[in-house]
Amino acid sequence: MSSTKARNIVELRQLLAEKFPGVRHSAERAERIASRCATGVPQVDLLLDGGLPKGAITEVTSGGISSGTGLFLASLLDQARQRGEWMALVDAADSFDPAGLEPAALSRLLWVRCENARDAVKAADMLLHDGTIPVVALDLIFSEPVQLRKIPSSTWFRLQRILETNSTALVVLAREHVIGNAAARLEMPRRFSLDSLDQPRENLVAQIASRIPEIVGRRIVKIA
């Protein structure tokens, strides 16, 4: 392409942007949404500008029980079912409870049950290399922090390099910040009590509290 043609194209784009600014913004937003995988949790999708980024790592930190991570995983699975896709759950502590989930949703789940964080990361590595499952969730919530700190940072960079070759969305759930190169981060503080068990799942999903944490070194500064 000649320099004159290239200059003309740039000028045309600038002219269109000035004449139709809303169209440009709509197109950019549509492109961002297309590069996301909706979680089905409205407040989470809003924070992540449409959902989990494809071809990247999303880190979700949580206090453990009563924070809604089980509801979050169930919502991810339900979204996969609606899209006619599969979801993989790599369960580092064999703690996932499928009770209460619809058989149709469970039929779209590949559940990898592990005994420790190291084996779970290896299993996630294999799934990402395969690249055929759109969403892979690595649940490290019940892994001891000392186990997670033994995972070298190079492991997460290797997983990111694998993700860059496909459009899989990897979401990692842990009790503390462990991934320095995550493309997106969320924090889910404790929210639910025993009384919540009497409420419909749809109501509980709407109550999941989430926020974007500010990372300073390896410490999470909570943003209310």
Side-chain angles (χ1 to χ4, degrees):
M1 181 183 295
S2 68
S3 59
T4 301
K5 288 183 178 179
R7 186 169 60 252
N8 289 341
I9 290 174
V10 171
E11 291 174 353
L12 178 60
R13 286 175 176 169
Q14 291 175 344
L15 178 61
L16 290 172
E18 293 171 0
K19 291 284 187 180
F20 309 103
V23 173
R24 181 185 178 189
H25 294 158
S26 297
E28 290 176 348
R29 177 163 177 75
E31 184 177 350
R32 287 197 301 272
I33 291 175
S35 65
R36 299 290 193 273
C37 188
T39 68
V41 182
Q43 55 274 33
V44 169
D45 289 338
L46 180 63
L47 285 173
L48 296 182
D49 204 10
L52 305 175
K54 297 179 182 178
I57 302 173
T58 298
E59 181 182 59
V60 177
T61 54
S62 164
I65 60 174
S66 304
S67 61
T69 53
L71 291 166
F72 176 67
L73 290 173
S75 185
L76 282 177
L77 182 55
D78 189 56
Q79 288 292 302
R81 178 192 62 79
Q82 293 182 37
R83 293 190 298 266
E85 299 174 347
W86 283 79
M87 171 184 159
L89 171 60
V90 183
D91 189 356
D94 194 13
S95 59
F96 178 66
D97 183 6
L101 297 181
E102 296 293 332
L106 291 173
S107 68
R108 311 303 299 180
L109 175 67
L110 173 62
W111 182 13
V112 183
R113 305 165 73 176
C114 304
E115 295 183 352
N116 55 65
R118 183 183 62 181
D119 290 345
V121 171
K122 289 181 179 178
D125 191 315
M126 294 175 61
L127 288 168
L128 297 183
H129 266 106
D130 183 67
T132 57
I133 298 182
V135 178
V136 175
L138 174 56
D139 186 358
L140 303 174
I141 289 290
F142 290 101
S143 297
E144 292 298 325
V146 66
Q147 291 185 29
L148 302 185
R149 294 177 192 137
K150 289 181 180 179
I151 301 173
S153 59
S154 58
T155 297
W156 305 114
F157 282 97
R158 186 181 72 252
L159 295 184
Q160 178 55 49
R161 287 195 297 271
I162 298 170
L163 286 165
E164 290 169 358
T165 66
N166 56 50
S167 59
T168 299
L170 172 63
V171 56
V172 181
L173 300 95
R175 276 185 282 176
E176 63 179 36
H177 166 58
V178 294
I179 305 175
N181 60 314
R185 293 186 177 90
L186 283 177
E187 182 191 24
M188 292 184 181
R190 292 177 181 269
R191 174 80 181 219
F192 299 102
S193 64
L194 289 176
D195 295 336
S196 301
L197 297 175
D198 297 328
Q199 300 182 41
R201 185 160 67 92
E202 294 77 10
N203 293 356
L204 296 177
V205 168
Q207 297 174 39
I208 293 177
S210 60
R211 53 198 172 197
I212 302 291
E214 179 183 346
I215 305 298
V216 180
R218 294 186 62 84
R219 183 169 61 91
I220 293 180
V221 179
K222 298 180 180 178
I223 307 298

